[in-house]
Amino acid sequence: MAGGDLRSLVAVAAAVSAAMWYVRLAARRVRPGLPRLAAFVPVLAVLPVLPFAFRAVHPRAISGFFLAWLAEFKLLLLASGQGPLDPSLPLPAFVAIATFPVRQRDPTKNAAGSGLGLVTSAVMAALLAAIVSLYRHKERMNPYFLLVLYSLHVYLALELVLACAAAAVRAVMGMDLEPQFDRPYLSAHLRDFWGRRWNLSVPAVLRPCVSRPVRARVGGGAAGVAAGVLAAFLVSGVMHELMFYYMTLRPPTGEATVFFALHGVCAVAEGWWAAHKGWPRPPRPVATALTLALVMATGFWLFFPPITRPGADKVVIAESEAVVAFLRDAGSWAAASVRSALTGRS
């Protein structure tokens, strides 16, 4: 990250802290509903603008996800008296839960682990570094193989970034946190992939913000469930358009919306098929392979082009290579320092 972005990070952190202090104060004094929502409007308007303070793609996209998506939805829930935020929380905890993709673990559930272990994190980081090192040969790669590498890059980078954010909050706040991913490569169907395994911070806010209100308005039964699912996928697509705008600074193309709308239709169809108990189902390994193939094939078609077409992938690769080079040099320097200290003692 350049020096300018380091200064931007300090400024954005200060602005977010001040904004959340105001939100917490307003939530204590204003009742839930339209009055509280009106009090939150200045913060809701400012948060999506803050990521543009960063020049590099990575901090702009990450802060966009944290602030313009997750924080906005959590504040909307707080405005209605719902969600993970509580104005009685200490200010540091309130700011952390509002602005980071973390949730306090439900004590009634037995979730497996609260984040990546050190060994798993090291393996994932090594795999990501290996993928980044392969990009130097990208001009000679098969385009589809390159997109497979991009898919792995997205997964590993998201897993590591969200795990690091959760670990930082856990270390500072002492919170017991739920995992952000749950082995999405084992998904048996799209509902499993998007709802229970991939980037769990997103369904955690889409369900109460979108799915349940739509389902309640449409009514109970299969029609309400289908409407809630379709609405959540549609909103996710629109929010991904915004995330791509942070990355490319280009107008939305609509492809991300089509990608998630298509997956929403497929998820509803899966649920309809699963409701018929006597109908055939593929074995679990086959179902998992088909699910991942569908995600990757539609991703090649609709998800990646808005990023690769304007060349944002090249910028991401260049920034990733710079980070890997910095970490490699820092590791070499640290190892040399340790060897020198040991040699001096002997």
Side-chain angles (χ1 to χ4, degrees):
M1 188 185 298
D5 275 355
L6 286 174
R7 290 189 292 271
S8 296
L9 178 61
V10 174
V12 168
V16 169
S17 298
M20 293 307 164
W21 173 84
Y22 164 77
V23 164
R24 177 170 169 267
L25 180 64
R28 284 181 165 184
R29 299 188 176 186
V30 182
R31 68 180 186 276
L34 287 177
R36 184 180 287 184
L37 178 62
F40 288 0
V41 164
V43 173
L44 293 171
V46 167
L47 289 180
V49 178
L50 294 178
F52 293 112
F54 298 103
R55 298 178 61 184
V57 170
H58 281 86
R60 193 166 64 237
I62 292 170
S63 62
F65 175 56
F66 288 2
L67 302 178
W69 190 340
L70 299 185
E72 290 270 306
F73 278 56
K74 290 176 185 178
L75 294 188
L76 290 174
L77 287 172
L78 179 60
S80 63
Q82 305 176 63
L85 291 174
D86 188 328
S88 65
L89 286 169
L91 181 59
F94 186 92
V95 172
I97 294 175
T99 57
F100 283 92
V102 296
R103 296 175 292 150
Q104 290 183 283
R105 186 192 301 276
D106 184 344
T108 65
K109 296 180 180 179
N110 289 322
S114 58
L116 294 178
L118 288 177
V119 174
T120 304
S121 299
V123 170
M124 285 188 160
L127 287 174
L128 183 56
I131 290 172
V132 171
S133 68
L134 289 175
Y135 288 145
R136 71 185 69 174
H137 309 294
K138 67 187 294 287
E139 302 301 330
R140 299 194 295 273
M141 288 181 185
N142 178 283
Y144 292 106
F145 178 72
L146 181 61
L147 288 175
V148 170
L149 291 183
Y150 282 179
S151 301
L152 294 173
H153 186 147
V154 168
Y155 165 59
L156 292 170
L158 269 177
E159 179 97 74
L160 289 168
V161 167
L162 298 185
C164 287
V169 173
R170 183 168 59 248
V172 175
M173 305 295 174
M175 294 179 179
D176 190 22
L177 305 170
E178 295 182 341
Q180 302 301 309
F181 285 81
D182 185 11
R183 299 167 296 175
Y185 45 82
L186 298 180
S187 302
H189 44 74
L190 286 178
R191 291 166 296 140
D192 189 27
F193 183 88
W194 293 114
R196 294 187 284 271
R197 292 186 179 275
W198 180 269
N199 198 358
L200 300 177
S201 296
V202 170
V205 295
L206 286 179
R207 286 191 187 102
C209 274
V210 182
S211 297
R212 290 170 192 161
V214 169
R215 181 177 178 179
R217 182 170 291 274
V218 172
V225 173
V229 170
L230 291 173
F233 273 94
L234 183 61
V235 170
S236 180
V238 172
M239 295 308 299
H240 276 83
E241 300 280 2
L242 178 59
M243 298 304 106
F244 288 174
Y245 181 67
Y246 285 126
M247 294 181 66
T248 65
L249 301 180
R250 300 287 183 89
T253 65
E255 289 159 296
T257 303
V258 174
F259 173 84
F260 283 97
L262 175 61
H263 280 234
V265 171
C266 291
V268 169
E270 284 180 348
W272 173 76
W273 187 278
H276 297 78
K277 294 184 178 180
W279 289 16
R281 290 165 177 75
R284 178 64 183 253
V286 175
T288 296
L290 290 174
T291 300
L292 297 181
L294 177 61
V295 171
M296 294 186 72
T298 53
F300 294 172
W301 172 34
L302 293 167
F303 190 86
F304 285 110
I307 301 172
T308 58
R309 192 181 301 120
D313 58 321
K314 297 178 181 178
V315 180
V316 169
I317 289 172
E319 292 181 3
S320 299
E321 288 174 338
V323 171
V324 170
F326 171 79
L327 294 176
R328 183 177 59 245
D329 292 344
S332 299
W333 176 83
S337 299
V338 170
R339 284 197 300 269
S340 176
L342 294 175
T343 302
R345 289 182 181 180
S346 61

